[in-house]
Amino acid sequence: MKAVLLESHGPPEVLKYKDIPEIVCGPGKIKIKIKFSSINHLDLWVRSGLPGMHINLPMIMGSDATGTIVEIGKDVNGFSIGDDVVIQPGVYDPECKTSIIGHENLSPTYGILGETHTGVQSEFVVLEPLHVYQMPKSFSHAEISSMPLTFMTAYQMLIEKAKISKSDNLLIYGGTSGVGSAAIQIAKNFGCHEIISTVGSKDKIRYVEELGASAVFLHDHNLYSNVKNYLGQKKIDVVFEHIGKETWETSMKLLAKGGRLVTCGATTGSNVEINLTHIFFKQISILGSTMSNINAFKNVLKNISNKEYKPMIDSVFLAKDVVLAHQRIENRENMGKVVIEML
């Protein structure tokens, strides 16, 4: 079978689309013919190499995918051959006491397909049932494949961690990114009072406004003054952060007393300065977040089924052109998710 394979870390060109032995479906497993898989920033980090984290190579890339069940192992119930399914990318031991109480992504056993475990960008995958969910019929395979990781991450950050309220003013960085565009939709659907977002160039402003942002600013050296002037006497209640060093100081200054900053990434660097006096005087909460628990994932699927959340696809590449797909994201040319078709 064909797969997108990472054999060594580096630029997009290190990725290979090549033949590997087809996997066998054993007891307790489900074999799926993958149709589409989307690319997340996580894929770029895995490909480049994550500092301080060992990744076993070679690695099949990818965390998000949709496909059709072609084989069901012994002792698996609730599925049928021919079912269209979506992959839940979190890996965990369901018998772990942390998982049992509904905090799967806090379990010491937690990992991610395409990072700590073999990914899904191959013609076939064999997975445990905990990764396999019936695909919502509201959108196509390509569209659904673009949504799980970013929406479950953003949902966990806003609903579970920051505990947003309708009266909140939000600042969501990177409105055209997968996780940023998901966050805007989740906040808009929740009914938040003010949703401010940022983009890297003027040609991306309308895209983010159409997602539901109240105001959109360039994340340049004028960002703090522009947002401050827009808010007037108001402050930001929740900062949705995944940029890191470049935006940290601005975030701290814009936060209201009792404000919350929730972060899931650091694309511009992870070492930031924190003034503890500033933190305790303003009673600011800094919240870290990775992926989501399974209840959040199920809520995301329900909202996708109801078309409350919609896919935002930038482009679709054939799997053989995965290098071009990674280059498009790395060059910040995309608005929305980049998807690859597994033929």
Side-chain angles (χ1 to χ4, degrees):
M1 67 176 184
K2 292 283 191 182
V4 175
L5 208 63
L6 178 69
E7 296 176 316
S8 62
H9 296 296
E13 291 77 15
V14 300
L15 296 172
K16 307 297 180 187
Y17 181 59
K18 61 191 295 184
D19 283 305
I20 62 171
E22 187 168 327
I23 45 181
V24 176
C25 183
K29 301 292 181 69
I30 301 172
K31 187 172 184 177
I32 300 160
K33 173 74 171 73
I34 297 297
K35 293 188 174 182
F36 290 89
S37 174
S38 66
I39 300 173
N40 296 290
H41 265 282
L42 176 63
D43 298 67
L44 275 63
W45 296 332
V46 168
R47 191 204 72 227
S48 300
L50 289 160
M53 181 175 182
H54 175 73
I55 295 174
N56 292 321
L57 301 180
M59 162 81 77
I60 296 174
M61 296 290 289
S63 305
D64 283 332
T66 57
T68 302
I69 294 177
V70 295
E71 188 177 348
I72 299 173
K74 184 181 178 182
D75 299 325
V76 175
N77 300 307
F79 297 94
S80 300
I81 292 174
D83 283 352
D84 289 327
V85 294
V86 58
I87 305 304
Q88 185 283 115
V91 182
Y92 61 93
D93 177 3
E95 301 303 318
C96 166
K97 64 180 182 180
T98 309
S99 299
I100 289 171
I101 62 172
H103 298 308
E104 294 87 356
N105 60 323
L106 291 178
S107 168
T109 67
Y110 196 81
I112 306 172
L113 297 176
E115 182 195 45
T116 57
H117 295 68
T118 298
V120 295
Q121 289 176 0
S122 54
E123 287 186 79
F124 297 96
V125 298
V126 172
L127 295 169
E128 295 182 7
L130 62 84
H131 293 291
V132 185
Y133 285 74
Q134 298 291 339
M135 191 183 91
K137 301 183 185 302
S138 47
F139 300 105
S140 69
H141 271 272
E143 290 170 321
I144 297 292
S145 77
S146 73
M147 303 180 78
L149 188 144
T150 51
F151 273 87
M152 67 192 286
T153 298
Y155 189 98
Q156 179 87 7
M157 291 171 72
L158 293 177
I159 306 297
E160 302 279 341
K161 289 293 184 77
K163 300 188 183 304
I164 55 173
S165 68
K166 292 184 178 181
S167 62
D168 280 338
N169 299 318
L170 271 63
L171 173 60
I172 297 173
Y173 287 111
T176 61
S177 68
V179 72
S181 62
I184 292 169
Q185 290 192 57
I186 291 167
K188 183 73 174 178
N189 180 259
F190 191 86
C192 289
H193 177 256
E194 187 89 64
I195 304 168
I196 299 170
S197 190
T198 70
V199 293
S201 58
K202 290 181 179 179
D203 61 306
K204 296 181 176 181
I205 291 176
R206 177 170 291 184
Y207 175 94
V208 177
E209 289 175 339
E210 290 175 353
L211 280 173
S214 317
V216 184
F217 299 99
L218 295 177
H219 40 242
D220 57 17
H221 64 281
N222 293 318
L223 178 61
Y224 170 72
S225 58
N226 286 339
V227 174
K228 186 175 182 294
N229 290 338
Y230 175 80
L231 288 170
Q233 297 300 310
K234 297 181 293 183
K235 286 278 191 175
I236 294 293
D237 299 295
V238 176
V239 173
F240 183 95
E241 169 68 76
H242 53 109
I243 307 300
K245 185 176 182 179
E246 188 178 286
T247 52
W248 191 262
E249 184 180 352
T250 295
S251 299
M252 290 292 104
K253 290 194 292 186
L254 287 171
L255 273 170
K257 284 190 174 182
R260 294 92 78 201
L261 182 149
V262 59
T263 177
C264 70
T267 56
T268 63
S270 56
N271 292 323
V272 299
E273 290 188 7
I274 296 179
N275 184 325
L276 291 177
T277 304
H278 189 78
I279 298 296
F280 65 69
F281 179 74
K282 292 180 70 175
Q283 302 180 65
I284 290 170
S285 298
I286 299 174
L287 306 164
S289 191
T290 295
M291 301 291 280
S292 82
N293 59 41
I294 294 303
N295 185 60
F297 178 79
K298 290 178 179 179
N299 285 336
V300 164
L301 285 190
K302 182 179 72 173
N303 290 339
I304 292 172
S305 294
N306 296 335
K307 294 191 173 183
E308 292 177 32
Y309 304 156
K310 61 181 180 178
M312 303 301 293
I313 291 182
D314 171 82
S315 50
V316 179
F317 289 80
L318 296 178
K320 68 180 182 65
D321 296 321
V322 65
V323 170
L324 298 177
H326 272 243
Q327 288 172 341
R328 182 167 180 80
I329 301 171
E330 200 151 89
N331 295 334
R332 298 185 177 183
E333 297 169 350
N334 62 305
M335 289 191 282
K337 293 296 291 291
V338 174
V339 173
I340 62 172
E341 184 174 2
M342 302 299 305
L343 294 178

